[in-house]
Amino acid sequence: MNELDRALVALGRSKSALPDLMRELREGDLWFLLPYHPELEGEAMELKSGMQLPFSMLQEGEDIVVPIFSSSERLDESLQTAKIPALTYCAGCMPAQQMLEILGKAELCAVLNKSCHTGQMVIPPDMMRDVADGSALKPPNSPTTREKGTVRAVDPADYPTDLLQAVFESLRQHRQFLAAWIFEDVVEQPLPAGGRRFRFMILMDPRDALIFHDFNLVANSAHNEEDQVALCYAEEKDPEFVSLLWKTAMPFYTAPGYERPEIEAE
């Protein structure tokens, strides 16, 4: 088990592990399969512009995917699990960033550690491109700010359970997160398929753009397909706004030791 294996196992337990997996995914080497040919054994291959990609591909439902692996051990495990006869494939490896860049630019999906005990993950081409160039893990240049609009408090009975479980685990990993509220945007045009647009108000001190960006990755990977998610900072230095938050709804998360501020009676 290497660090990418452990991150994939953790992702199987909770979407809160996604940022760590994305970091590990671009480190070191990734392994892949090629159709067997005796001349390939132990030989280096140069990929040149315009040549056909040599990677073996599989049909997964309606998609064509390229199986990639975190190590030679996981590659062997996958072949043994699928009972693939000997001399069907050769194994190859290349730097992870290069592999992700090639597959992403070719608009191919990858499946990481197919049929392995770590669990597996289908990676779309846009994610591979963003992980390869590092943009997936970079916070935006300008921080998220409050937007004008109308929101309503979400009744705890109507909480999106899977989403809140993932973001709750992400919040408690960092002491900077003090409290978090979830609201639902009041929109003029309903979302398709009856979806809802949730808005998180995050009280964070001190602010950390990278940690906030990681939280955003988790929130946007954990919601239902028909829903949408937005995030905003709650201003720690704006007691009037924080007071309004507490009066409107109870936070679904508060950090250990964080005390509710004094709220003046109206």
Side-chain angles (χ1 to χ4, degrees):
M1 292 276 285
N2 58 27
E3 292 304 316
L4 180 53
D5 290 333
R6 295 186 182 93
L8 188 54
V9 170
L11 185 68
R13 295 193 294 261
S14 172
K15 293 281 181 63
S16 64
L18 180 61
D20 287 339
L21 182 137
M22 294 171 76
R23 290 187 180 92
E24 295 298 336
L25 187 60
R26 68 193 306 267
E27 299 298 326
D29 295 329
L30 288 172
W31 289 74
F32 56 92
L33 299 170
L34 305 98
Y36 177 79
H37 193 286
E39 293 182 1
L40 291 177
E41 291 192 30
E43 295 298 321
M45 175 186 294
E46 183 181 2
L47 294 181
K48 296 181 180 180
S49 179
M51 72 179 293
Q52 184 177 357
L53 294 180
F55 313 121
S56 294
M57 303 182 191
L58 302 174
Q59 185 80 38
E60 287 276 324
E62 298 181 356
D63 298 322
I64 300 294
V65 299
V66 177
I68 61 176
F69 302 92
S70 58
S71 64
S72 60
E73 289 82 5
R74 297 289 79 75
L75 183 148
D76 289 341
E77 178 189 352
S78 178
L79 296 179
Q80 292 170 11
T81 300
K83 298 181 179 179
I84 301 298
L87 306 184
T88 301
Y89 294 110
C90 288
C93 73
M94 68 170 60
Q97 292 183 41
Q98 182 183 2
M99 181 83 182
L100 297 172
E101 181 182 12
I102 291 171
L103 295 180
K105 287 184 175 179
E107 292 294 335
L108 290 168
C109 287
V111 56
L112 175 64
N113 285 7
K114 179 174 173 59
S115 303
C116 293
H117 75 279
T118 57
Q120 63 184 46
M121 176 189 182
V122 175
I123 311 173
D126 56 343
M127 179 183 288
M128 286 191 284
R129 291 192 297 269
D130 292 345
V131 170
D133 65 20
S135 61
L137 294 163
K138 283 183 180 178
N141 291 329
S142 57
T144 303
T145 56
R146 296 205 304 267
E147 302 172 10
K148 291 184 178 180
T150 304
V151 297
R152 56 172 166 249
V154 179
D155 189 307
D158 295 328
Y159 277 169
T161 308
D162 290 343
L163 172 60
L164 281 197
Q165 180 178 347
V167 300
F168 186 91
E169 292 174 3
S170 181
L171 289 166
R172 70 179 184 176
Q173 292 174 10
H174 303 284
R175 60 177 180 78
Q176 290 92 335
F177 291 120
L178 302 181
W181 290 258
I182 183 170
F183 295 92
E184 185 175 353
D185 281 5
V186 179
V187 293
E188 295 182 2
Q189 297 294 330
L191 297 180
R196 305 159 73 188
R197 189 168 193 261
F198 296 107
R199 181 173 297 275
F200 289 102
M201 295 287 187
I202 307 298
L203 187 60
M204 191 177 192
D205 186 36
R207 287 190 184 182
D208 187 307
L210 181 58
I211 292 175
F212 189 83
H213 180 62
D214 282 359
F215 179 85
N216 189 29
L217 289 175
V218 173
N220 278 283
S221 70
H223 66 75
N224 292 334
E225 185 176 346
E226 65 272 15
D227 295 334
Q228 294 180 4
V229 168
L231 279 74
C232 292
Y233 283 121
E235 295 287 354
E236 168 73 5
K237 298 179 181 179
D238 185 350
E240 183 178 349
F241 181 71
V242 173
S243 176
L244 178 61
L245 280 176
W246 280 98
K247 291 177 182 178
T248 305
M250 291 296 293
F252 69 88
Y253 170 83
T254 53
Y258 176 68
E259 297 183 1
R260 175 174 176 166
E262 295 289 336
I263 300 177
E264 296 181 3
E266 294 183 351

